[in-house]
Amino acid sequence: MVHAGAMDVGHRLRGEGYRLTPQRQLVWEVLRAAQHHLTAEEIHERVSATVPDFNVASVYRTLTLLSELGLAKEVRLGEAHGHWEVAHPDDDFHLVCRVCGSVDHHQGDLVERVRLHLSGGHGFVAEDVDLVVHGVCAACATVGART
Amino acid sequence: MVHAGAMDVGHRLRGEGYRLTPQRQLVWEVLRAAQHHLTAEEIHERVSATVPDFNVASVYRTLTLLSELGLAKEVRLGEAHGHWEVAHPDDDFHLVCRVCGSVDHHQGDLVERVRLHLSGGHGFVAEDVDLVVHGVCAACATVGART
DNA sequence: ATCGGTGCAAACAATTTGCATTAGA
DNA sequence: TCTAATGCAAATTGTTTGCACCGAT
């Protein structure tokens, strides 16, 4: 599978009959440039630095479109609002630190195991496995142990 | 671990210095009686059948309290609104059918495996493992295969 | 020249909060 | 009695939508 980050949005969009607008391109670039998850609001802020009266509604519209194309994905980490990121290969999950709020990505065969487990018998066809682990990250755990 | 469903809310509440009100008791009972997840709105509806001008705000306040006591838990299944359920033992996860919308609980050692996997080396202390699998349930898959 | 995309503002939905009143302990 | 909990209504927050104008193809 080609990593979504390497994708050329322009081609993808036009290929599906959509237009490539500066707004869409910018949202995509902001998303790719970010090391961590962004809320729609954060994306809006960042793109606004370049395009002054860029509208939040367009952020949402673009994000929805990108996720339909499989380029972006919304992740829900327990909060009310969603976070967005470039679509990752699906053996990827999130570690959310309760103390510092950091969100780490983690790869492993866990998601694959879930799939395997489910395919064994009870007929549920797994399409999307969302695994979010809340806890305390290594850094915070070390600090906490000292107190 | 004692299953939360067997808990006496009255004792728990008073034990922690809270009062047992009919509203709280009813929310808890509705939650226990429900076989599946409920939204705050649904809980409100059901309790309103007994207590006419029962307020939504109280549903939220009660749910927050119950979750602080570890009796209830909010689950996010990808939708904007949350769902609530009686707190389950933590080796429990959700299978959400994209076709019929049904949500099934599933038990397994998967969550335990995640814990184990994480404890092996990189220091993240897992406290809450949330696993949600989206896909197609057995019933819908069978029907779909026929078409 | 089209028609899809954007900005804007208003609409929405879910949840929270301030405050006066009510009712558990 | 005394303070916590409720009802109510208004405020927030995150997201969506209708519509006239604009601009990518």
Side-chain angles (χ1 to χ4, degrees), chain B residues 8-20 24 69:
Chain B
D8 173 352
V9 228
H11 280 167
R12 269 312 297 278
L13 284 172
R14 274 187 288 258
E16 310 269 346
Y18 297 104
R19 293 174 183 174
L20 174 63
R24 286 178 175 167
L69 295 181

Side-chain angles (χ1 to χ4, degrees), chain A residues 39 75-83 96 101 103 134, chain B residues 76 79-80:
Chain A
T39 64
V75 261
R76 299 211 158 252
L77 303 172
E79 291 131 355
H81 50 280
H83 284 87
V96 184
V103 180
H134 292 266
Chain B
R76 299 214 158 249
E79 292 130 356

Side-chain angles (χ1 to χ4, degrees), chain A residues 110 113-114 117 131 133, chain B residues 89-93 106-120 126-131:
Chain A
L110 288 169
R113 279 197 206 157
V114 172
H117 179 91
L131 176 57
V133 183
Chain B
D90 49 349
D91 56 337
D92 199 272
F93 61 95
H106 202 79
Q107 301 242 357
D109 57 346
L110 288 169
V111 172
E112 197 47 42
R113 279 198 206 157
V114 172
R115 256 180 228 286
L116 255 141
H117 178 91
L118 286 175
S119 66
E127 290 176 347
D128 197 32
V129 179
D130 289 321
L131 176 57

